[in-house]
Amino acid sequence: MTLQISNTMSGRKEPLVPAAGSHVRMYVCGITAYDYCHIGHARSTLVFDMIYRYLLHKGYQVTYVRNFTDIDDKIIRRAQEQGTTCQELAGRFMAAFTEDMERLGVAKPTLEPRATEHLPEMIALIATLVQRGLAYQAGGDVYFAVDRFPSYGHLAGRELAHMQAGARVEVNDAKRHPMDFVLWKASKPGEPVWDSPWGRGRPGWHIECSAMSRKYLGDTFEVHGGGKDLIFPHHENEIAQSEGASGQPFVRIWIHHGFVTIKDEKMSKSLGNFLTIREVLEHHHPEALRLFVLSTHYRNPLDYSEAALGQAAASLDRLYDCLREGASLPAGAGNGTGVALPEEHDKLARLPALFDEAMDDDFNSARALGFLFDTVKTVNRIRQALGRKAAAADVALVVEGTAQIRRLANVLGLLREDPDAYFALREEKALAALGLARAAVDALVRERSEARATRDWARADAIRERLQALRIEVLDRPDGSSWRLRPQ
C-alpha cells in the first residue's frame, strides 16, 4: 500500500510522491520561545516525530526542518516584563524546549533554524513581493496585499470577502484591505531592530517560515505541518508570500494535527488551562505521554485527563512486561508438545505488514498500536502455556514475537528502554508513593521465605497477601524468592 496522507489543502487523502526519488522535504512550525512548553506542544512534536520516524522506517531520505521563533510580540512583551533582553529570554526557553524534547525521546530534526539568523533571507523575500506588486509600504511598515493573491483563503476554506481579522492580524488605517498582513514592522522604542530598505524595524511573524523553508527546502517541497490553529492565518499567509514570490506551488501536502483539550476545551496559555511538559513528566514516564498522544489519531482532538494518562502508563507497563517475560524464557528443550496454534503463527508473521498497513493509512498510530497490543496478548498466551519442556519452536516464536513488538514500537518512539531498568524506575516511584522502601519489601520477602522454610504456611500466606495488596508479586524459584511490582 502506498502511504496516503490527509492533505488539508485538498481535504482528501493523497499519496506521498517525492519530487526527487525517495527524498522527502518536511517543514514543521516550531515554538515561539517565550515560556515553558505545555502538552499541546508535546502533541505537536510527538506527532511529527512519529511521522519522521515512520518515513525513515519506510526507507525515505528525510530533510526535516523545525524552526524556532525567537523574535515576536510575545517575546518582546515577556522580556520587558522580566527586565531582560529578547535574546536572553528566547535562548533560555529554546534551551528548555530542547531539554524537554530530549526527555520525551524526540529525534532531532535535520535543521532547527532561528528566525533572527535569517533576516537577510526575509528582507530579500519581502523585496521580491514589493517588486511584484504584491506588497506595499505604509510608513515604516510593509504589508502583503491579500486581494492581489487570488487564491488567498483556499487552505482554510474561506472567501476573502467573508473574512474577519483573526489572531495575530493587526487592523489599522494604514492597510488597504483589513486582511492585509504585516511583513515588516517599523521600529518601536525598546524593541530589537534591524536595518532594511524600508527603514529600521523587525520582521512580521509569518515571513520567517517562508524565508527559512525556501532557503533549506526550495520553492516547492513535499510536506508542511503544524497544529490546526496555524491553518489560518499563519499557513494561509505563508502560501501567499511563498507562491507570490516564486510563482511556484509552495507545498504538496499540508498536515495538521488536532488540539489537546481539557474537558473539551482547547488547552492554551491564554486560557490558563495548561500543564507544562515538565509538570507532567514529574509524575509520568515520558513514553507514557507518548503512548497517550499516539493512541488517538493525530487529526482528532485529544482530551487530556490524569485518568487517561494513567491508563496509558498501565498500557506501557503491559508492553514492557511482555518484553521482560520474553527475555527470561529458557532456551527450550525441543521435545515438548507445541502449544502455539496455527493462527497464532500466522498472526505473528503478519504483524509487520499489518503495522505498515495501518501507518500507511494517514499515519494511523492508534490502529498500529492496536495490532501491537493484540500481538502482546498472543505472545503472552503462548508463553504462559509453555511447560517445563517447552518446544524449541514455541520458545523461538515467543522470542521472535517480542522482538517484532519492540522493533515496531521503536518506529513510534516506544519501548526504547531496557525492561528491567524501566521497571526498576517504576518500582522506585511506586514504592515511594506507597511510603515503602525497597529494603522493607526485601525484608518481608525474606521473612516469607523463612516462614516457608519452617512450614509456617499461615504466616507465609499472610505476608504474600500483604504484599499482593501493595501490587507486589512474589516469584518463587528453585534458587530462591524474588519480587516485582505488578503492572497496573
Side-chain angles (χ1 to χ4, degrees):
M1 178 178 176
T2 303
L3 175 58
Q4 301 281 323
I5 305 173
S6 289
N7 187 353
T8 306
M9 180 66 80
S10 66
R12 63 177 182 270
K13 293 178 185 177
E14 298 180 9
L16 177 64
V17 182
S22 61
H23 184 198
V24 175
R25 295 160 296 175
M26 180 169 72
Y27 187 95
V28 174
C29 291
I31 64 162
T32 299
Y34 73 100
D35 205 344
Y36 291 109
C37 290
H38 55 62
I39 59 174
H41 298 114
R43 184 182 199 189
S44 185
T45 52
L46 289 171
V47 162
F48 287 104
D49 184 65
M50 172 267 291
I51 290 172
Y52 180 39
R53 289 173 182 272
Y54 187 66
L55 292 174
L56 295 174
H57 165 74
K58 293 288 286 186
Y60 291 105
Q61 174 195 350
V62 185
T63 301
Y64 175 20
V65 180
R66 185 185 65 213
N67 74 297
F68 283 113
T69 296
D70 59 348
I71 183 64
D72 171 84
D73 291 341
K74 292 181 180 180
I75 294 172
I76 293 170
R77 190 159 51 246
R78 183 63 56 85
Q80 291 171 343
E81 291 170 357
Q82 296 189 5
T84 187
T85 65
C86 293
Q87 182 181 24
E88 187 282 328
L89 182 91
R92 183 179 358 132
F93 287 115
M94 285 189 289
F97 171 84
T98 299
E99 292 172 3
D100 289 344
M101 294 306 104
E102 288 176 350
R103 290 191 67 189
L104 288 174
V106 173
K108 287 186 72 66
T110 314
L111 296 163
E112 292 184 282
R114 303 181 183 188
T116 56
E117 295 174 347
H118 296 80
L119 266 295
E121 290 84 359
M122 293 185 222
I123 290 170
L125 186 55
I126 296 170
T128 299
L129 293 170
V130 171
Q131 182 182 14
R132 289 179 168 240
L134 292 167
Y136 60 92
Q137 184 172 0
D141 299 329
V142 180
Y143 293 96
F144 187 94
V146 294
D147 59 359
R148 300 296 302 276
F149 189 74
S151 62
Y152 189 78
H154 188 186
L155 180 69
R158 303 185 185 189
E159 294 183 15
L160 184 58
H162 300 140
M163 288 184 187
Q164 296 294 323
R168 288 188 174 180
V169 175
E170 296 182 3
V171 178
N172 61 49
D173 293 336
K175 293 183 179 184
R176 297 176 185 172
H177 187 284
M179 295 305 297
D180 289 351
F181 57 90
V182 68
L183 302 172
W184 186 263
K185 296 184 177 185
S187 63
K188 295 179 183 177
E191 293 187 354
V193 295
W194 289 266
D195 291 326
S196 82
W198 315 283
R200 288 172 64 76
R202 61 184 176 89
W205 174 43
H206 312 294
I207 196 68
E208 66 179 70
C209 288
S210 288
M212 288 187 280
S213 63
R214 187 183 199 188
K215 177 175 181 177
Y216 296 110
L217 303 178
D219 288 329
T220 304
F221 54 94
E222 283 72 31
V223 175
H224 195 324
K228 287 186 177 179
D229 56 327
L230 296 181
I231 294 173
F232 189 87
H234 185 53
H235 288 165
E236 197 73 66
N237 292 352
E238 278 190 63
I239 293 169
Q241 296 163 162
S242 299
E243 295 188 359
S246 71
Q248 302 296 319
F250 179 36
V251 172
R252 292 191 173 89
I253 295 178
W254 287 90
I255 299 177
H256 291 98
H257 62 79
F259 298 128
V260 175
T261 59
I262 294 184
K263 296 180 180 178
D264 297 323
E265 184 176 52
K266 178 178 178 285
M267 178 181 292
S268 71
K269 290 178 179 175
S270 61
L271 294 175
N273 64 343
F274 69 95
L275 290 167
T276 66
I277 295 172
R278 295 178 173 215
E279 289 170 332
V280 173
L281 295 188
E282 285 179 7
H283 307 289
H284 297 280
H285 192 279
E287 287 189 15
L289 179 55
R290 182 183 285 263
L291 182 59
F292 167 68
V293 168
L294 299 185
S295 294
T296 295
H297 191 279
Y298 76 88
R299 296 178 65 237
N300 295 332
L302 176 66
D303 198 48
Y304 175 86
S305 69
E306 275 296 308
L309 192 49
Q311 290 172 1
S315 296
L316 184 65
D317 282 355
R318 289 197 294 274
L319 289 172
Y320 269 110
D321 190 56
C322 181
L323 298 189
R324 177 172 63 178
E325 292 296 334
S328 64
L329 285 174
N335 58 353
T337 301
V339 298
L341 303 173
E343 56 266 30
E344 290 175 327
H345 280 273
D346 182 59
K347 179 182 287 187
L348 294 180
R350 292 194 310 121
L351 175 61
L354 291 172
F355 179 90
D356 281 9
E357 178 184 302
M359 292 296 289
D360 282 345
D361 183 15
D362 195 24
F363 305 109
N364 194 336
S365 58
R367 186 162 176 249
L369 284 167
F371 287 127
L372 291 184
F373 280 106
D374 192 42
T375 305
V376 166
K377 290 180 183 178
T378 299
V379 167
N380 285 344
R381 194 212 70 78
I382 298 170
R383 177 180 53 77
Q384 290 164 3
L386 296 176
R388 287 182 176 272
K389 296 183 179 181
D394 283 345
V395 173
L397 188 64
V398 171
V399 171
E400 173 60 20
T402 55
Q404 288 279 37
I405 290 167
R406 182 164 207 167
R407 182 180 70 84
L408 295 173
N410 282 175
V411 175
L412 301 177
L414 295 166
L415 303 187
R416 292 174 290 108
E417 294 191 14
D418 174 76
D420 289 335
Y422 169 83
F423 280 110
L425 178 61
R426 295 280 283 146
E427 286 168 1
E428 290 294 340
K429 290 186 175 181
L431 290 174
L434 293 168
L436 294 173
R438 184 175 291 274
V441 178
D442 289 340
L444 281 172
V445 173
R446 284 196 301 272
E447 184 180 344
R448 177 179 172 276
S449 296
E450 292 166 1
R452 282 164 54 85
T454 59
R455 298 182 177 275
D456 188 348
W457 306 118
R459 181 176 162 218
D461 289 345
I463 295 172
R464 177 186 280 276
E465 289 173 5
R466 179 181 173 189
L467 291 168
Q468 285 179 335
L470 297 172
R471 283 182 44 224
I472 294 169
E473 180 181 6
V474 180
L475 305 173
D476 294 319
R477 295 190 173 96
D479 58 346
S481 297
S482 60
W483 63 272
R484 69 180 184 184
L485 196 70
R486 283 199 317 275
Q488 290 182 332

